[in-house]
Amino acid sequence: MTDAVRVRAEAAEAKAPTRVLIAADKFKGSLTAVQVAEHVAAGLRRGAAAVRVEALPVADGGDGTVDAAVAAGFERREERVTGPLGEPVTAAYALRGEVAVVEMAEASGLRHLPEGLFAPLAATTYGSGELLRAALDAGARTVVFGVGGSATTDGGAGMLAALGARLLDAAGEPVGPGGGALRGLATADLSGLDPRLADAEIVLAGDVDNPLTGPKGAAAVYGPQKGATMADVVLLDGALAHYAEVLERAVGPRAAEYAQAPGAGAAGGIGYGAFIGLGAVFRPGIEVMLDVLGFAPALERADLVITGEGSLDEQTLHGKAPAGVAAAARARGVEVVAVCGRLALTPAALAGAGISRAYPLTALEPDPARCIAEAGPLLERAAERLAADFLA
């Protein structure tokens, strides 16, 4: 080998990434974030045997948030709590020292509804309050409260009741479960809320900035996803507005201000309940989770970041995990590529988000059903292609 050839070979080797960080979210309906990382790593190693791979599964506060925290070293804890229909369910949260990650969908999510059954008027967040109380019982003083994937539109009323609030009808009896019952709310007393909440830091981690009510509110935007008819949406929006009025009489003008705050409408309005009763502070879910999971030090060890989720589309650009990962990596000058089930973004949109290239499974298998059924093997093939393009 001549000196010139050797220099070119050494230069090429120096430029090829050798340390890869996989920081992808779940592929909803097919693979968890942990499974995504496992399949991508397997494909990378087949395509570039010498590459060093680190996996940091991520989440944005919705489904899979607890799993991501556990993968990052948190301890998984389980509790029996009240499900969205009032039946007992097993829900998990994650704990490390005095920091807990609580995912409301674990207690009050759509996953707990029988297939094809919705309860838009009656589903309750009571179990989410029980799960928060369990985290406090375990010694948590900082709680990352991930919201998303909810079956509920009760404004967090059930959660507040589980934590000690008294929400009463005209007869002085507790109002029934669900957002529909809030039409009968007459008085609210938050003085009995768990006193430990006052000393805890509660971070509301979500990816939506909707207010509680109105055309962009919890009922109007997300109610239909939970089985609400147009009549149900009108009823729920009115019930939530009444709920805010009663709480304003109980706690003052801040109740009205919180109803319009970004994030109040998250997860059926549980954001509003968290603002009012928990003193929660709203932050973008992926931003919070990257901090909690230790993304910054992992990024320092990486030459290339691979992110992704099931569908890379316009929603991705508005606070979803891949956009958050790409923004953080771009700030550190680390290149980002993505894997996904389907790709609905132009190259320009990807570049604008800080993603150099995306590898959709549909490029290997155009049938969406087969992509979902065979997501793992297809993802490994996509990772091999990625390795050939970026790691050779």
Side-chain angles (χ1 to χ4, degrees), residues 39 56 94-95 101 197 229 235 348:
H39 286 294
L56 188 73
L95 185 70
V101 175
L197 291 168
T229 64
L235 184 156

Side-chain angles (χ1 to χ4, degrees), residues 23-24 39 52 111 115 131 139 151 170 173 177 186 205-206 223-224 229 231 314 330 334 337 349 381 387:
H39 286 294
R52 287 178 287 172
R111 72 179 80 165
E115 185 174 357
L131 201 56
E173 296 296 324
T229 64
E314 281 298 321
R330 179 166 55 180
V334 181
V337 293
R381 287 172 55 192

Side-chain angles (χ1 to χ4, degrees), residues 79-92 105-108 112 127 130:
E79 292 287 329
R80 291 292 281 175
V81 300
T82 304
L85 299 182
E87 79 294 350
V89 299
T90 299
E106 280 282 329
S108 313
H112 291 302
E130 293 175 313

Side-chain angles (χ1 to χ4, degrees), residues 23 58-60 284-288 290 295 299 305 307 309 315-331 336 353 355:
V58 299
D60 57 18
I286 184 58
E287 178 184 299
V288 178
L290 290 182
F295 181 74
L299 184 61
V305 173
T307 190
E309 64 179 347
Q315 288 191 9
T316 302
L317 306 180
H318 301 284
K320 293 293 188 179
V325 168
R330 179 166 55 180
V336 179
I355 299 172

Side-chain angles (χ1 to χ4, degrees), residues 103-129:
E103 180 184 328
M104 73 86 61
E106 280 282 329
S108 313
L110 285 166
R111 72 179 80 165
H112 291 302
L113 298 183
E115 185 174 357
L117 175 65
F118 295 96
L121 302 181
T124 178
T125 56
Y126 196 92
S128 291

Side-chain angles (χ1 to χ4, degrees), residues 12-339:
E13 183 178 353
K15 292 179 181 178
T18 58
R19 300 172 301 175
V20 177
L21 174 62
I22 305 170
D25 201 348
K26 62 187 176 298
F27 280 28
K28 192 169 185 177
S30 56
L31 299 171
T32 67
V34 173
Q35 291 170 329
V36 169
E38 290 171 348
H39 286 294
V40 170
L44 292 180
R45 292 187 174 113
R46 284 205 296 270
V51 69
R52 287 178 287 172
V53 177
E54 181 175 356
L56 188 73
V58 299
D60 57 18
D63 292 337
T65 295
V66 166
D67 289 341
V70 171
F74 280 65
E75 177 189 354
R76 182 183 181 89
R77 298 282 188 97
E78 292 187 346
E79 292 287 329
R80 291 292 281 175
V81 300
T82 304
L85 299 182
E87 79 294 350
V89 299
T90 299
Y93 67 96
L95 185 70
R96 183 166 64 189
E98 294 187 346
V99 178
V101 175
V102 176
E103 180 184 328
M104 73 86 61
E106 280 282 329
S108 313
L110 285 166
R111 72 179 80 165
H112 291 302
L113 298 183
E115 185 174 357
L117 175 65
F118 295 96
L121 302 181
T124 178
T125 56
Y126 196 92
S128 291
E130 293 175 313
L131 201 56
L132 287 164
R133 192 172 65 233
L136 295 174
D137 290 343
R141 293 298 173 263
T142 297
V143 178
V144 176
F145 189 30
V147 293
S150 74
T152 58
T153 312
D154 75 348
M159 172 191 69
L160 293 178
L163 288 167
R166 287 170 52 81
L167 304 173
L168 308 177
D169 63 18
E173 296 296 324
V175 294
L182 293 176
R183 292 173 298 171
L185 181 66
T187 61
D189 179 3
L190 305 188
S191 64
L193 281 170
D194 192 317
R196 294 173 298 180
L197 291 168
D199 297 321
E201 178 186 7
I202 312 293
V203 180
L204 187 72
D207 62 1
V208 301
D209 58 3
N210 305 74
L212 179 65
T213 58
K216 295 184 179 180
V221 176
Y222 302 108
Q225 299 174 10
K226 304 169 189 183
T229 64
M230 290 309 299
D232 292 337
V233 167
V234 172
L235 184 156
L236 285 167
D237 192 63
L240 290 172
H242 174 67
Y243 171 56
E245 291 171 1
V246 174
L247 282 173
E248 185 174 5
R249 293 200 296 269
V251 303
R254 64 187 177 94
E257 296 169 5
Y258 281 138
Q260 296 304 313
I270 201 170
Y272 177 68
F275 292 155
I276 287 288
L278 279 58
V281 175
F282 177 72
R283 287 180 61 193
I286 184 58
E287 178 184 299
V288 178
M289 289 306 297
L290 290 182
D291 286 347
V292 168
L293 299 176
F295 181 74
L299 184 61
E300 292 287 348
R301 299 187 289 270
D303 303 311
L304 176 72
V305 173
I306 300 173
T307 190
E309 64 179 347
S311 178
L312 284 180
D313 51 32
E314 281 298 321
Q315 288 191 9
T316 302
L317 306 180
H318 301 284
K320 293 293 188 179
V325 168
R330 179 166 55 180
R332 296 289 184 92
V334 181
E335 188 169 19
V336 179
V337 293
V339 291

